[in-house]
Amino acid sequence: MYSNHLGLVIAVAIGFGLAGVLAMMGSLLVHNIKAGARARGIAALVMNEARQKALASDVHDLRPLLGATPGSAGIRLDIQLPQEAVPVFAVKAELCELLSQVAAHAASVMSAGATLQVRAHVEGTQAVVHWRDLDAVDVRPPLARLFDALDAASLASARVCERIAGRHGGRIYSAPDNGGVLGLTLRLPLCDSHAGA
């Protein structure tokens, strides 16, 4: 009699154990199915954004975009552009935003009456744009300190410029040009047809 009760207790305990294991396995299966669906949704969103960016991108010559650099009150512009095209594959609105951010930064940190030189050229397989304060006397003038600025507005502007340059396969950073004082340099890949020429 005692052994029958003991056997029943053991059977019930084993049954509960098996039920718990099956419930846990079912829970893990449902969780994995949901996680997989979420991952597929995120991947589809990323692919859709990349597709939209590709559709919005086109070949643009940097010269007219740089030539249209907005004049800023208080500073003069010296824009030097090459005779030949400087073509990049990009979203025009984003490039214009980057150029506008740099121009606004220059206007906010350069002395009144100073000259901002904007120079573009092709270097190997890259389009290069360089901005520098022609009247700067410091080796590291405020224009070149966009990426280590302390104020929130400049830091936000720097992040926008870095993000746009990065999305187009390029980068923007502080560097000298022709051995002069530090300025800002933007490098973007030339569109394939021109880079291979």
Side-chain angles (χ1 to χ4, degrees):
M1 178 88 176
Y2 176 73
S3 61
N4 285 345
H5 286 309
L6 182 59
L8 181 61
V9 168
I10 291 172
V12 168
I14 290 172
F16 278 129
L18 284 173
V21 168
L22 289 174
M24 187 173 70
M25 288 174 63
S27 172
L28 286 173
L29 179 64
V30 168
H31 176 73
N32 286 341
I33 290 171
K34 287 181 180 177
R38 246 189 332 268
R40 283 190 298 278
I42 291 170
L45 182 64
V46 168
M47 286 180 64
N48 189 37
E49 284 180 2
R51 194 176 304 114
Q52 286 178 352
K53 181 179 180 268
L55 290 172
S57 296
D58 204 353
V59 177
H60 298 283
D61 183 356
L62 281 177
R63 295 174 306 164
L65 300 180
L66 291 167
T69 299
S72 301
I75 65 169
R76 293 174 293 167
L77 296 174
D78 173 26
I79 301 176
Q80 299 181 5
L81 304 173
Q83 296 269 334
E84 66 279 353
V86 185
V88 294
F89 189 70
V91 178
K92 183 178 179 181
E94 291 188 4
L95 277 185
C96 290
E97 173 67 13
L98 186 153
L99 300 176
S100 174
Q101 291 285 344
V102 172
H105 170 67
S108 71
V109 298
M110 288 173 58
S111 302
T115 302
L116 173 65
Q117 183 183 72
V118 184
R119 193 170 83 81
H121 65 280
V122 171
E123 191 176 291
T125 60
Q126 294 184 323
V128 181
V129 180
H130 187 76
W131 296 267
R132 74 173 175 170
D133 181 350
L134 290 181
D135 301 295
V137 290
D138 288 343
V139 179
R140 190 169 173 78
L143 175 66
R145 294 199 300 261
L146 174 63
F147 302 104
D148 50 291
L150 298 176
D151 64 291
S154 292
L155 284 174
S157 182
R159 296 303 159 254
V160 167
C161 291
E162 287 176 325
R163 188 171 59 250
I164 292 171
R167 280 178 51 137
H168 290 84
R171 62 192 184 113
I172 184 168
Y173 55 97
S174 297
D177 185 48
N178 287 340
V181 296
L182 281 177
L184 295 174
T185 297
L186 169 67
R187 290 182 177 271
L188 294 170
L190 290 173
C191 73
D192 293 341
S193 60
H194 192 277

